[in-house]
Amino acid sequence: MSNFTKKQLGKWELIYDELIFGIKLPLKESNSWFLGDKHGIIAIFNEDEILYVLGTENIGKTINNIIKGINVGDFRKMLAIVEFNLSGNNIESKILKGTLATKIDKKISTFSFSISQAPKQHLKRLSEAFNVVSDSTYDGPTVKSNISIDSLPS
C-alpha cells in the first residue's frame, strides 16, 4: 500500500483524477487509431486495478506497440515478471515469441486504458509520480520493493 496520497500531487491532482477515474476503453487496436500522435499519459487497468502509468509523446503509437508487442517496453516486461514469474537474462526475447508471448497478448487483451493530456515536458515525471501515488501493480513502489527482495542472493 502506498504511503503517498493524490493530495501530494498538488496542481497535478486533477490530471491524476481524470486519468484514474475517467473513461476507460478496452486495450484493443480498434480503440487506438483515433488517438494519433498526441502526447499525454496512459493508465492501464485490469478492471479497476491500476496496472501501469506511462507518459508518451505519441499515445496512439504507444498503445499499438503495447498491443502488438513492438518495442518491448517496461510494461510487457513487468507484466511477465509479476504475472508469470519471469526473471533473468534475455527477457525481451522470451516475451516476444512463443508460448509466453501468446499468454502475455491474451492477458493484455483483457485490459483497459485511459488517457489524459499533460504538458510534454513533464510526462516522465508525472507518470513516475502517478505510479507512486497509485502504487500501480507493475511499476509502483510495492512491486519494485518485492523484486529487490526477491533478487537478493540466497
Side-chain angles (χ1 to χ4, degrees):
M1 179 162 186
S2 181
N3 292 321
F4 300 95
T5 69
K6 66 181 186 170
K7 292 288 181 206
Q8 293 171 298
L9 296 171
K11 71 179 186 177
W12 306 108
E13 184 180 351
L14 292 175
I15 293 174
Y16 177 83
D17 282 345
E18 179 180 279
L19 191 67
I20 304 305
F21 304 112
I23 297 169
K24 296 172 183 63
L25 299 170
L27 192 54
K28 307 235 181 280
E29 196 172 353
S30 60
N31 287 327
S32 66
W33 67 269
F34 67 93
L35 300 171
D37 63 358
K38 296 175 181 139
H39 64 275
I41 300 180
I42 303 168
I44 301 173
F45 298 85
N46 183 12
E47 297 180 9
D48 289 331
E49 177 185 5
I50 304 162
L51 299 177
Y52 198 79
V53 180
L54 69 150
T56 179
E57 292 189 18
N58 189 322
I59 294 172
K61 183 177 180 181
T62 300
I63 293 292
N64 277 322
N65 287 350
I66 289 169
I67 294 166
K68 295 178 180 179
I70 299 170
N71 284 341
V72 175
D74 286 340
F75 173 72
R76 287 179 78 94
K77 288 178 194 175
M78 292 306 296
L79 187 154
I81 290 167
V82 172
E83 301 294 338
F84 300 106
N85 298 317
L86 188 67
S87 63
N89 300 330
N90 304 320
I91 193 168
E92 287 88 359
S93 63
K94 293 176 185 176
I95 61 177
L96 283 176
K97 300 175 190 166
T99 307
L100 183 59
T102 303
K103 288 179 182 178
I104 291 171
D105 291 341
K106 186 175 180 179
K107 189 102 174 139
I108 286 174
S109 73
T110 67
F111 296 158
S112 61
F113 73 97
S114 67
I115 58 172
S116 184
Q117 287 188 312
K120 197 178 220 178
Q121 68 271 26
H122 300 309
L123 293 174
K124 182 174 176 17
R125 287 184 286 175
L126 286 172
S127 62
E128 288 171 350
F130 291 177
N131 272 307
V132 170
V133 169
S134 68
D135 198 11
S136 62
T137 303
Y138 298 153
D139 202 29
T142 300
V143 74
K144 288 179 179 182
S145 298
N146 289 339
I147 290 170
S148 294
I149 297 297
D150 290 347
S151 67
L152 289 172
S154 45

